[in-house]
Every structure is written in C-alpha cells, then in structure tokens.
Amino acid sequence: MAQRKTESGFPVKPVYDQSDLPGDIDKRTGRPGEFPYTRGVYPTMYTSRPWTMRQYAGFGTATESNARYHQLLEHGTMGLSVAFDLPTQMGYDSDDPVAHGEVGKVGVAIDSLADMKTLFDGIPLDKVSTSMTINAPGSVLLLLYQLVAEEAGIPGSALNGTIQNDILKEYIARGTYIFPPKPSLRLVADTFAYCRAEVPKWNTISISGYHMAEAGATPTQEIAFTLANGVDYVRAAIAAGLAVDDFAPRLSFFFVARTTLLEEVAKFRAARRIWARLMRDEFGAQDPKSMMLRFHTQTAGVQLTAQQPEVNLVRVAVQGLGAVLGGTQSLHTNSYDEAIALPTEKAARLALRTQQVLAYETDLTATVDPFAGSYVVEAMTDEIEAGALALMERVASYGSSVDAIEAGFQKNEIETSAYRVAQEIDSGERVVVGLNRFTIAEEEPYEPLRVDPAIEAAQAKRLAAIRESRDGAAVQAALAELKRAAQGTDNVLYPMREALRAYATVGEVCNALREVWGVYRPVERF
C-alpha cells in the first residue's frame, strides 16, 4: 500500500513518537498567549468565552438580507458576515450594463448609502461585530457602514468588525480587482491610517488564504502566499509613514478549514509562529498585539458536493472542529446546500447549530490547545512551517509578492496543485463520498433558494430615484475632490466619505478613482 501524504505533499507516518518532536519543543510552542503564539494568541482562549460565531449571508436586495440577519441574530449568531453581489464587489452600480444578469445573485446589491441603511435597519451596530467580504471597494463599503452608524448616533470608536480589503489575493486567485497593484496598495494604506484615527477597533484588512485554498492551494501554499501578501501590506503601510505598532494590531487573517483535520490544526499553529517571528524580527514590532496572528475561518466550500448534499453536514462539522482545535478567533460554517445554490434559512440555521454544538456540548472549550505535545501534530506543524518558509523565500526572490504575482508565480503553483487534486478525484485515488465512491442511483429532489431576476430592475429604479432626489452639484463637487486627492498624496477616504454622504453611488466613487488610477489588465501568458 502506498504511503499516505498530507494535502501539502508530506508523507504521513503510520506511527509517530517522541523522536518526531524537535529538541526545543517548549521554545517552539511557548505558552498560550505568549510568543511565538503557537498555542494560541490568548492565554485562556475558549475557556473564558467561545469563538465568534458568524454566518456569511447576503442575497438579493438589502431588505431581504436584513431579514436574514435578524433571523441569524435571533438564533444566536454573534457576528454578521456580509456577502456582496459581483457588481458591488467590482465597483459597478446595479444599472451599469456590465452588471446585467448578476445583480443580487451571489450576495446583496449595495449601490448607495440608502441601500446600506436598509441592510442594517434595526441592527445595533455598536453591539454586533460585522465582517464584510469586500476587497477592491472595501474602503467604500466601510465608509457607508460608518455613515449608517453615525446617523444612528453611534461613533466610529464604538464599531467592531472587519473588511477583507485584501486586493493581492484577487490578482492571484479570485479576480475581483479594479485598480493596478500600486494604487490598490496605496488605498489599503490609506484605510489603515483612516481607521486608526476614525474607527480604531476596526480590523482594517483580512489577509485571505481562503480563496487561494478554494482555487486549489495546498495548506502550505495557503499560509505561505497569504503571509507573503501580509509582508507586502506591512511594507506598504510603513512606506506610507505609519509606524508598525500603529497599524499591525488591527491586521487579521482569513483561512479555510478542510476535512484533513490534523493537517489543518498544524497549519494554523505554524501560521501563528511564522507571523510572530516575522513581525518581531523583520519589522521590529514591540507591541505583542502586532505579533499575534488573529484569524477568521470558513469551512471549505470547495469540498462540498451537490451529490448527497446532506453528507456536507458531516464534512462541515469535521472542518469546524479543525478550526476550533486550531485556535480560530471566529468561524463561519457553510450550509450543506451551498454547492447547489444560496443557502436556505433552514440550512443556514443548521450550520449555526453545528458551531453551537461544538461550543456548548463538547469539552473543546475546557482547555487551551488540546493537541499541544501531540507527536503527529507537532511534527506536521514543523513540516508545514518549513515548507511555507521555503515558498515565502521563492516569492521574495522575485522582489515582492506583487512582483511574483505579475510573473504569475503563485497562480501557476496553485493551478498545478488544483490539477493534481482533480486528477486524483477523477482516478478515484482521492475518495469523495457520494461523488466517486458510495454513490446512489438517484438523488432526492431538492428545492434551492432562488433569487428573483426582477431585483435588477428594482435596483435600477431605486438608483434613478436617488439620483433624481440628491443634490447633483454637491455630488459632482465631492467626486472632484476625491479625484484631486487620488492624484496627490492626501488620504482618499476623507473626500470619499463626503461623496458617499452626499449619496454618490458605489459605482460613481469607483469610476472617479478609475479615471485617475486606471484599471488592472492581467498580462496574458501562453
């Protein structure tokens, strides 16, 4: 029988013992809440409070999504996680010809301050934590959120949450970019500075490996390319004049949790250790919070199957267990029907209940880092750390993550891994229950949640009314001020905020920046 290998390609031994542990095990792991944070970023972890339970939601109109958010909060969700439709993610209004056919499909359509008010109507923004999966126009959606809170009498200092705002992984794995890398990094740095002054509790970026993993990255590639991107963000902020300890405590990360539980636990532990040493040794961070790799986890959407979808409930439970054992700060568990369509209300509730069972019916919250000292997990942690550092050195050999992206390095590595996995599934070497093994002759009927195509026309009508009722001259003046700031070195978020306050649309704000910064066109490689 061939020896099993991890997802990252390391051989898995049938038996591990003390000889597999490094001699300096105590130094390499440390204590929970202490450098290098291998065992967790907080001394007590879940023994004092569980992780934040989030559910990723957003579809159709802001009104429909608002209703789902209220349902999730009533069922015990501790934080909201907003999905935006593709036009919003790309900085286009719902009535733009480019947006045709995509409005409200994979998330909620947000075109202006009016939509954002509807989205969070009746939700106490000073009491919940909100995560927004938005990248190229991340600063725009953050400002809309702040303006909604401001109208409710809630200061920026009371807001908690995260914007993904991770543009580099878009060039690698996802594609919802707008501007070229250099102005995109400038916008990220401006957001860091703005939030330090105006929204100090906000996590200004969620540096994401999740989407690279969904595109086919191995666990080692996932953390290597994610942390390498993190290095570029830190360098961009320092180059913009920010001190490392002024912004680094608000950096956060976003990873996947696969069904390969042991390797995933090791991956999270290795990532914390690498980041702590990078921040201390390369960037001279002094604040312990600057060295803590805090992260959100989402269970692996790419591992869900449309065949026998109920089996996904088991997959998600195992994946969630791996995230918790790995020390995540917040968790989203996918709904079992997401391989088919947007999750139904019942499926979303079951996904949340999965987290609640892990938190309140198991003994996972009784002790910190249950796998510490495990022969296999400690050995895997070292293997992943060494592999990730080697990959990060290869990225650095190009000059920076941006240089490696423009050379196509990360994308090529991920696509090679994805192709290998696809071959293994097709050949049956990799078992996927219900797909290539343990299949059934006939699938049971399933009625997915469907988005009404009339939403696009309704959004266009809403936009027309907003443009008719607003002060057009004030909007144009505000957009001109935004372009002036973009042409110079002023922080663009301040004039951007005033444009949005005057009811400039998301598309109009992004178009103003497109006029100054241009758009990114990937180089075709054959």
Side-chain angles (χ1 to χ4, degrees), residues 11 25 78 80 86 115 130 162 172 179-180 216 279 284 288 315 352 376 384 393 407 438 440 467 469 499 511:
I25 182 69
M78 299 153 64
L80 300 175
L86 279 176
D115 287 332
T130 301
T162 305
I172 295 172
F179 316 112
M279 295 305 293
R315 293 187 177 102
L352 175 60
V376 60
I384 291 174
E393 287 179 9
F438 311 112
I440 55 178
R467 292 190 180 111
S469 63
N511 285 338

Side-chain angles (χ1 to χ4, degrees), residues 244-264:
V244 66
D245 287 326
D246 285 347
F247 66 87
R250 302 316 308 173
L251 301 180
S252 65
F253 292 80
F254 176 23
F255 296 116
V256 78
R258 302 169 180 81
T259 52
T260 43
L261 187 148
L262 296 177
E263 186 177 9
E264 292 299 284

Side-chain angles (χ1 to χ4, degrees), residues 71-87:
Q71 291 165 359
L72 289 170
L73 291 170
E74 288 166 6
H75 291 310
T77 295
M78 299 153 64
L80 300 175
S81 189
V82 185
F84 297 96
D85 71 356
L86 279 176

Side-chain angles (χ1 to χ4, degrees), residues 51 434 514 524:
W51 59 93
R514 284 184 179 98
E524 294 293 336

Side-chain angles (χ1 to χ4, degrees), residues 81-103:
S81 189
V82 185
F84 297 96
D85 71 356
L86 279 176
T88 305
Q89 293 181 49
M90 299 291 288
Y92 292 109
D93 290 331
S94 295
D95 60 355
D96 192 296
V98 174
H100 179 62
E102 293 295 338
V103 176

Side-chain angles (χ1 to χ4, degrees), residues 74 96 124 145 157 180 239 249 284-285 320 349 386 390 451 486 502:
E74 288 166 6
D96 192 296
Y145 188 85
S157 58
R349 184 171 64 249
V451 175

Side-chain angles (χ1 to χ4, degrees), residues 333-351:
T333 37
N334 289 326
S335 301
Y336 75 89
D337 54 358
E338 286 189 49
I340 303 170
L342 290 169
T344 58
E345 180 185 346
K346 180 179 180 180
R349 184 171 64 249
L350 282 170

